[in-house]
């Protein structure tokens, strides 16, 4: 696989761990990043509106299924990123600990991706594989790889925290709670190897004075991660309250 192919590839949910393997990996999880807001505009008072639908866009859907597809899209992105890190044989000078952490995270995210596809397809229809663009990431540079991992994991945790209030099915909410706890472990692990500050694993940039983690709504998450997904996404039907 060429470097260009590693940077921009079609995510294939058929590859990787099975649902059975998912259940072996820490109990469950999923996480963060990267969709395109379509036709975003501001309302008369300057607030961000949900995107206008695009005829060629992938529709996430509505209700709980829409939120599950939203999570599935984020899991596709994270799985693709860590798989690209592995395909590049890590970055030069990666320590054994860094390789182990990144390898574990890749297994987790692939398992999360496959779990969501199977779970959604059991009740509705999962969105298709999404195309990603990692051309802004230097996979041969430690700071670029770990810095991107930090952004993805922090964003993923905040995405689940924000989306939890939009879920109506209690069973789905329980699963989301298990998932966000694993994603928080991911975020802490990346922060611990990226920054020499021993307190950075739970820095005040993500934990507030009440000891609570950041929560972001889907519109904010999708905008923040928009540079990594090529496939246009229609999130206009997602619940907002």
């Amino acid at each position: 696989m060429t470097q260009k192919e590693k940077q921009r590839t079609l995510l294939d949910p058929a590859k990787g761990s099975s649902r059975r393997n998912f259940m072996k990996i820490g109990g469950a999880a999923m996480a963060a990043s990267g969709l395109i807001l379509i036709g975003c505009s501001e309302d008369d008072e300057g607030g961000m509106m949900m995107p206008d639908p695009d005829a060629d866009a992938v529709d996430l859907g509505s209700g709980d299924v829409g939120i599950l597809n939203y999570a599935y899209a984020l899991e596709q992105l994270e799985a693709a990123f860590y798989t690209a890190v592995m395909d590049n044989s890590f970055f030069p000078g990666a320590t054994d600990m860094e390789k182990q952490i990144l390898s574990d995270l890749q297994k987790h995210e692939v398992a999360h991706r496959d779990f969501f596809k199977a779970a959604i397809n059991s009740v509705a229809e999962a969105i298709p594989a999404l195309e990603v663009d990692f051309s802004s990431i230097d996979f041969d540079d430690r700071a670029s790889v770990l810095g991107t991992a930090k952004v993805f994991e922090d964003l993923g945790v905040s995405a689940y925290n924000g989306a939890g209030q939009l879920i109506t099915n209690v069973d789905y909410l329980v699963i989301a709670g298990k998932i966000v706890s694993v994603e928080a472990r991911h975020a802490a692990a990346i922060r611990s190897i990226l920054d020499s500050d021993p307190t950075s694993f739970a820095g005040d940039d993500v934990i507030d004075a009440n000891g609570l983690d950041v929560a972001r709504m889907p519109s904010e998450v999708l905008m923040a991660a928009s540079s990594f997904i090529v496939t246009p996404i229609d999130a206009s039907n997602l619940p907002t309250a």
Side-chain angles (χ1 to χ4, degrees):
M1 180 180 289
T2 67
Q3 183 68 18
K4 183 176 181 180
E5 289 172 330
K6 294 173 187 174
Q7 293 174 335
R8 183 170 174 142
T9 182
L10 186 67
L11 309 188
D12 184 358
K15 296 180 180 180
S17 303
S18 65
R19 184 174 180 176
R20 181 185 67 256
N21 289 335
F22 168 85
M23 299 309 294
K24 296 178 181 178
I25 303 176
M30 67 189 172
S33 325
L35 309 175
I36 293 180
L37 284 179
I38 302 161
C40 266
S41 59
E42 293 186 350
D43 61 22
D44 293 338
E45 298 180 356
M48 184 62 69
M49 298 174 62
M50 289 303 291
D52 296 327
D54 183 296
D56 298 322
V58 171
D59 185 0
L60 295 179
S62 61
D64 283 351
V65 170
I67 295 299
L68 293 179
N69 269 320
Y70 163 61
Y72 174 43
L74 300 181
E75 291 299 340
Q76 288 192 47
L77 181 67
E78 285 197 311
F81 167 69
Y82 288 113
T83 297
V85 172
M86 302 286 289
D87 288 346
N88 196 60
S89 299
F90 305 100
F91 45 82
T95 66
D96 288 343
M97 181 176 67
E98 290 169 344
K99 291 178 181 179
Q100 184 63 60
I101 289 174
L102 291 169
S103 296
D104 287 347
L105 266 58
Q106 190 267 349
K107 292 183 179 70
H108 294 177
E109 302 301 0
V110 167
H112 305 163
R113 179 199 67 193
D114 294 349
F115 171 78
F116 269 101
K117 182 183 180 183
I120 296 168
N121 282 336
S122 70
V123 296
E125 183 176 357
I127 59 172
L130 304 176
E131 188 179 358
V132 296
D133 182 1
F134 293 146
S135 59
S136 63
I137 304 169
D138 183 354
F139 285 95
D140 291 321
D141 180 74
R142 178 181 186 272
S144 182
V145 170
L146 296 183
T148 303
K150 176 182 176 181
V151 168
F152 281 2
E153 297 298 347
D154 286 349
L155 189 64
V157 173
S158 69
Y160 284 108
N161 287 340
Q165 62 185 299
L166 306 177
I167 298 173
T168 60
N169 185 303
V170 175
D171 292 333
Y172 295 161
L173 187 59
V174 170
I175 292 173
K178 293 180 178 180
I179 289 168
V180 72
S181 66
V182 175
E183 295 302 334
R185 293 173 189 265
H186 290 178
I190 290 296
R191 282 169 165 262
S192 70
I193 61 175
L194 179 62
D195 195 332
S196 59
D197 180 358
T199 68
S200 65
F201 75 96
D204 57 12
D205 56 327
V206 289
I207 307 295
D208 67 19
N210 297 314
L212 301 178
D213 216 326
V214 172
R216 293 185 175 92
M217 297 299 286
S219 59
E220 186 181 0
V221 171
L222 301 182
M223 179 62 77
S226 62
S227 62
F228 297 104
I229 293 287
V230 175
T231 307
I233 298 293
D234 177 6
S236 63
N237 293 314
L238 289 184
T240 58

